[in-house]
Amino acid sequence: MWSFIFIFSFVVLFMIILTSLANNGRRLNPKMSEVLIILALITFVFFIGTRFNVGRDFASYWKDYYAFSNKDYGLGTRFQLEYANYGILYICHAFDWSPQSYFVITSILTGGLFYSLYRNCVELLPYAIFIFFFCGPYTFAINDIRQTLAIICLYHALLSYKSDGTYSIGHFIIWILIGILFHTSTIAFLPLVFLFKPKFLFFFTPSILICIVIVGFVCGFIGIGNLISFESLMGVESSYIKYFTDSRFDNSSFSIGLGAIGTLIFNIYPLLFTNKVAKRFPNSKIFYVLFAVGVSINYIFAMNMLINRMGLFLVYTSIFVYPYLLSTLKSKKNFIYWFSVIMMSSWFVFLFFYTISDFWINQTDLNPTVFGIPCF
């Protein structure tokens, strides 16, 4: 475990340093700045793409690879694949590549799409990398590959909202369609195009956003979400019923401890600065609104695996919410900025490694290997 912690910390710190140097030296030497960002991207791809037996669904993807070669999965078969996933598996088999090639290709797509989110605002990238690796998206990306790609496509769609208040419906729909190719659940977010109304977004003040999160927290604690029988209301396919009745989520509510309270505080904290951030980044408001709604959904349906996963599409807007906040506050003499950096980084790092150690102790979800090397 300790070797994993060392390697993980080194890789993340290395990428943060590279992107920070790229941002600081952008005006002096744009070409060198691009080289540093590409090097950080290569590190990102290598770290995720060359993993072996890491992630809850690692074995499932290997099975998909061999099932595809036996024509058990694919287009027009009983086990229908999304078109993008079908295409990736087809390429792997067309060139007779090993199953590991699937992870390399998807990591290239994940890394490329992730980095391109910040192509017009490189100053957010160092913060975004930290949030990606320490606040959930990384562990989600090595388990739920297709859904991670769909989530990033959704964020590209949301970036169609420009700082001057205009937006491109065509750009939004195209990215949603691309997301659907990776994970069909992306279609559920097509109505978000109606959020691109300045008057509608203006309604969500910091106070309202904070109330949304707190109400979700209270409802989740008392188990409101478990009173709703979604499998009967939605007519969910039998293959998805297991996500409503998963034995790991059979409690009526979540418990409140240091982790729950601390996370609630840090979920609310960036919302306090919503208006301040919006003055610096006018197109940031939609991410703050979706973040608050997503956090509330995940609190209410903390024990419902399917709804919880859908909520992650919105929760992981954290890769914008926190970077927007820190970039807005950034100043050598700004006490709030340094307080935010120290407190948030300390909490997220502690929570991440505590969770990782818990996985190792209880032998759940994450297999203790990196690049095929046992790490104990």
Side-chain angles (χ1 to χ4, degrees):
M1 181 180 75
W2 292 109
S3 55
F4 166 77
I5 291 175
F6 173 78
I7 294 173
F8 179 88
S9 302
F10 175 79
V11 169
V12 175
L13 181 61
F14 181 64
M15 287 188 290
I16 290 175
I17 291 174
L18 286 176
T19 51
S20 297
L21 291 173
N23 179 46
N24 294 331
R26 203 177 184 194
R27 294 181 180 179
L28 299 176
N29 194 332
K31 290 186 178 180
M32 181 55 67
S33 177
E34 291 180 7
V35 170
L36 292 173
I37 292 176
I38 291 174
L39 183 58
L41 173 58
I42 293 173
T43 305
F44 181 103
V45 170
F46 180 80
F47 183 68
I48 295 182
T50 58
R51 71 186 187 278
F52 179 78
N53 203 22
V54 176
R56 182 174 56 243
D57 294 338
F58 185 88
S60 298
Y61 287 109
W62 273 63
K63 290 179 181 178
D64 284 348
Y65 176 89
Y66 288 110
F68 184 90
S69 63
N70 296 329
K71 301 186 184 303
D72 291 331
Y73 291 172
L75 302 177
T77 64
R78 179 170 174 266
F79 300 98
Q80 181 79 18
L81 293 176
E82 283 88 352
Y83 285 91
N85 199 41
Y86 178 90
I88 294 170
L89 287 171
Y90 182 85
I91 292 172
C92 293
H93 284 278
F95 290 94
D96 198 25
W97 290 338
S98 71
Q100 191 66 37
S101 62
Y102 177 86
F103 299 99
V104 174
I105 293 174
T106 52
S107 67
I108 291 173
L109 291 173
T110 302
L113 290 172
F114 172 77
Y115 273 74
S116 62
L117 286 171
Y118 306 95
R119 65 186 182 279
N120 295 324
C121 201
V122 179
E123 63 183 287
L124 300 179
L125 199 47
Y127 305 118
I129 289 174
F130 178 86
I131 298 299
F132 181 89
F133 280 94
F134 283 104
C135 297
Y138 162 71
T139 51
F140 190 77
I142 64 175
N143 286 301
D144 302 275
I145 297 173
R146 295 177 296 110
Q147 195 167 354
T148 300
L149 286 164
I151 288 173
I152 297 176
C153 287
L154 171 63
Y155 298 163
H156 274 284
L158 295 176
L159 287 175
S160 61
Y161 182 72
K162 306 300 180 183
S163 57
D164 59 359
T166 61
Y167 62 93
S168 170
I169 295 180
H171 179 275
F172 181 89
I173 293 177
I174 288 173
W175 276 107
I176 290 294
L177 292 176
I178 295 174
I180 292 172
L181 294 179
F182 288 107
H183 206 280
T184 52
S185 61
T186 316
I187 195 172
F189 299 95
L190 192 57
L192 288 182
V193 70
F194 298 110
L195 275 181
F196 295 130
K197 304 292 183 182
K199 292 182 180 180
F200 181 77
L201 292 175
F202 182 78
F203 169 77
F204 292 96
T205 63
S207 299
I208 291 178
L209 295 179
I210 292 171
C211 285
I212 290 173
V213 173
I214 294 176
V215 168
F217 182 84
V218 173
C219 289
F221 176 67
I222 62 179
I224 293 295
N226 285 44
L227 301 177
I228 305 173
S229 179
F230 275 95
E231 59 267 38
S232 59
L233 290 176
M234 299 172 60
V236 182
E237 294 181 29
S238 58
S239 59
Y240 289 98
I241 289 295
K242 60 182 180 181
Y243 293 118
F244 290 99
T245 58
D246 195 304
S247 61
R248 293 173 297 168
F249 299 86
D250 58 1
N251 299 311
S252 60
S253 64
F254 59 82
S255 58
I256 294 182
L258 176 62
I261 296 299
T263 303
L264 175 64
I265 292 173
F266 283 100
N267 283 336
I268 290 175
Y269 184 69
L271 303 178
L272 295 170
F273 300 89
T274 302
N275 290 339
K276 185 179 181 68
V277 172
K279 291 179 181 179
R280 172 81 190 281
F281 300 99
N283 59 340
S284 65
K285 188 68 174 286
I286 190 169
F287 290 100
Y288 279 76
V289 172
L290 294 179
F291 176 74
V293 173
V295 168
S296 183
I297 290 174
N298 275 24
Y299 277 138
I300 296 172
F301 302 103
M303 303 304 160
N304 188 310
M305 191 174 179
L306 185 59
I307 303 301
N308 195 274
R309 275 194 177 187
M310 292 295 289
L312 291 178
F313 273 86
L314 308 182
V315 171
Y316 287 153
T317 52
S318 58
I319 64 174
F320 282 100
V321 169
Y322 292 106
Y324 276 139
L325 169 64
L326 295 176
S327 186
T328 299
L329 298 176
K330 185 177 181 181
S331 171
K332 293 182 179 179
K333 298 181 180 180
N334 190 336
F335 170 78
I336 298 179
Y337 169 73
W338 289 109
F339 173 81
S340 301
V341 169
I342 294 172
M343 293 302 295
M344 284 176 15
S345 59
S346 299
W347 173 254
F348 289 139
V349 170
F350 162 75
L351 197 62
F352 177 81
F353 286 127
Y354 175 82
T355 305
I356 290 295
S357 64
D358 182 62
F359 284 152
W360 251 283
I361 293 171
N362 296 306
Q363 295 291 305
T364 57
D365 289 317
L366 288 178
N367 192 302
T369 54
V370 179
F371 310 127
I373 305 172
C375 298
F376 295 101

